[in-house]
Amino acid sequence: MRVEVSVNKKVVKRLVIVSNRLPFSIEKVKNECRIESGSGGLVTALAPVLKNRGGLWIGWPGMCDVCDLPDMIGQASKIAGYNIETVFLSPEEVQRYYIGLSNEVLWPLFHDLQSYCNFNPDYWRTYEHVNRKFAEVIAEHTSKKDFVWVHDYQLILVARELRLMGVDMTTGFFLHIPFPPLDIFLKLPWRSEILRALLNYDLIGFQTMRDR
């Protein structure tokens, strides 16, 4: 009698980090292009993880006018020890999505500074558009076998945009700033869109139990 034994092998998903900025910046100093390492808690915590296990980091390289940007990205990838893909933003997109909706609406509102908010409808439209651009880059460079981990308030809509594109993959999100109490959150014109977008993630992380 032949006995067949089936062993379930643990599947280790490739980790894909998605953030507004890449873990480095490319700067032009006296006609010379330089790669500058990023700073902050996200880079400090996750860059070593990707370097150890491999993976992919997707983000914006910053406003740089560099002719050989692909070569610079390749160099940065070799130095970092993991793959890198870029999302390019126009100056207008940076102004409305990053400086506008992200830092003139979400950041102050979530920190109980609603008097500083500028609820410009153009900001929201551009925020949606840029989150869609991030989702398109993710869809192009990932597969269903990957785990896509999106970070912070600039990219809340990414999972929603992936779903709208018909992309089915496991996604997580971590918010690196506080989540406001209800009475403050209700002041956001796009509160329903934000909440529904968050619910498209498979896993959501917050800073505190109260935020959760």
Side-chain angles (χ1 to χ4, degrees), residues 13 138 143-150 155-160 162-163 167-174 195-206 212:
K13 291 177 175 287
I138 293 169
S143 71
K144 192 174 181 179
K145 298 179 180 179
D146 298 326
F147 175 72
V148 176
W149 193 6
V150 181
L155 301 174
I156 290 175
L157 308 184
V158 165
R160 184 195 78 173
L162 287 170
R163 303 293 186 201
V167 177
D168 182 21
M169 62 174 56
T170 307
T171 59
F173 177 82
F174 191 85
L195 285 180
R196 292 179 184 276
L198 281 172
L199 293 176
N200 281 279
Y201 290 98
D202 298 289
L203 178 67
I204 308 171
F206 297 99
R212 188 187 72 173

Side-chain angles (χ1 to χ4, degrees), residues 1-5:
M1 180 175 66
R2 185 178 68 179
V3 178
E4 294 183 357
V5 179

Side-chain angles (χ1 to χ4, degrees), residues 7-195:
V7 179
N8 292 326
K9 296 182 179 179
K10 185 179 180 180
V11 177
V12 179
K13 291 177 175 287
R14 183 179 67 154
L15 179 61
V16 179
I17 302 297
V18 185
S19 62
N20 175 62
R21 290 298 300 265
L22 287 169
F24 64 87
S25 60
I26 298 176
E27 298 181 359
K28 204 168 186 179
V29 180
K30 295 180 179 179
N31 297 321
E32 179 183 356
C33 300
R34 297 179 182 176
I35 300 172
E36 300 292 339
S37 297
S39 60
L42 183 63
V43 175
T44 302
L46 294 181
V49 176
L50 285 186
K51 188 171 185 177
N52 179 58
R53 61 173 288 171
L56 172 64
W57 196 310
I58 296 174
W60 172 53
M63 300 297 291
C64 53
D65 182 15
V66 183
C67 296
D68 58 349
L69 186 57
D71 291 338
M72 297 296 295
I73 296 296
Q75 292 179 36
S77 181
K78 290 180 181 179
I79 294 172
Y82 48 84
N83 295 327
I84 293 169
E85 292 295 340
T86 55
V87 180
F88 296 106
L89 304 178
S90 69
E92 182 181 25
E93 288 170 339
V94 173
Q95 179 64 40
R96 293 182 178 180
Y97 141 80
Y98 180 66
I99 298 175
L101 198 286
S102 296
N103 291 336
E104 291 185 8
V105 177
L106 296 181
W107 195 95
L109 186 74
F110 282 32
H111 285 88
D112 194 10
L113 298 170
Q114 58 266 32
S115 61
Y116 291 90
C117 292
N118 179 11
F119 299 116
N120 186 333
D122 289 336
Y123 289 173
W124 175 254
R125 285 189 285 268
T126 305
Y127 184 80
E128 287 185 302
H129 173 70
V130 170
N131 273 249
R132 176 82 177 194
K133 290 181 73 169
F134 272 84
E136 289 171 348
V137 173
I138 293 169
E140 182 179 355
H141 297 284
T142 62
S143 71
K144 192 174 181 179
K145 298 179 180 179
D146 298 326
F147 175 72
V148 176
W149 193 6
V150 181
H151 288 268
D152 227 357
Y153 59 101
Q154 300 95 345
L155 301 174
I156 290 175
L157 308 184
V158 165
R160 184 195 78 173
E161 295 303 318
L162 287 170
R163 303 293 186 201
L164 291 174
M165 293 164 57
V167 177
D168 182 21
M169 62 174 56
T170 307
T171 59
F173 177 82
F174 191 85
L175 183 66
H176 292 263
I177 61 174
F179 195 87
L182 181 60
D183 59 332
I184 295 176
F185 186 69
L186 287 175
K187 299 180 184 297
L188 180 64
W190 309 283
R191 54 191 177 274
S192 295
E193 290 89 335
I194 290 290
L195 285 180

